[in-house]
Amino acid sequence: MGWILAFLVVLLACNLIWLGTSTVSILNASNHPVPSVAYRACETTHHLGTLQPGQSKFRFLQACGDDTLEILVGDSRFCQIYVEGELYHVDATISGEKVVSCAYDDLLSSLFVMKILR
């Protein structure tokens, strides 16, 4: 019984971190590797490199106040989406070389541990 309680406490603590930050998760849902993937937030470009088919990258965003998150694939920019330093979680899906979609993740529908392990 004690280990179950300990597990729940750890899970809750992780989700408190999830609620106190902003994140981006970028998934390559295409059947081909996508080279030169990056994201731009807080006036800084963060290079992720090549994403293989089915591969995803999860990153915490810097806290810099009101900002716009962009997903970069090569020289193309996608998903100019509003974010702040906390409570904004963006899921970006690359479906093709020129097809990228972004959506906010519902804070209460997913667990931080599941996001980071995806």
Side-chain angles (χ1 to χ4, degrees):
M1 180 65 172
W3 65 271
I4 293 174
L5 183 60
F7 176 75
L8 291 175
V9 167
V10 168
L11 193 61
L12 178 61
C14 289
N15 279 334
L16 289 177
I17 293 170
W18 171 249
L19 292 174
T21 62
S22 286
T23 63
V24 61
S25 178
I26 303 172
L27 169 67
N28 178 5
S30 75
N31 294 325
H32 305 286
V34 178
S36 302
V37 176
Y39 67 92
R40 182 166 175 78
C42 297
E43 300 181 15
T44 304
T45 300
H46 303 272
H47 298 279
L48 301 175
T50 299
L51 285 181
Q52 298 300 321
Q55 183 181 15
S56 67
K57 298 279 184 163
F58 176 87
R59 296 291 187 266
F60 289 100
L61 300 176
Q62 286 178 259
C64 63
D66 298 349
D67 196 30
T68 299
L69 171 72
E70 294 180 306
I71 306 301
L72 311 171
V73 178
D75 293 331
S76 300
R77 297 173 181 263
F78 302 93
C79 299
Q80 290 78 24
I81 192 166
Y82 177 82
V83 293
E84 292 181 6
E86 57 189 29
L87 297 176
Y88 282 82
H89 303 286
V90 178
D91 289 327
T93 303
I94 302 170
S95 301
E97 188 177 317
K98 299 290 182 185
V99 181
V100 179
S101 61
C102 293
Y104 294 111
D105 187 12
D106 181 4
L107 291 174
L108 302 176
S109 70
S110 60
L111 297 175
F112 170 72
V113 173
M114 297 303 290
K115 284 295 246 190
I116 203 162
L117 293 177
R118 181 171 85 169

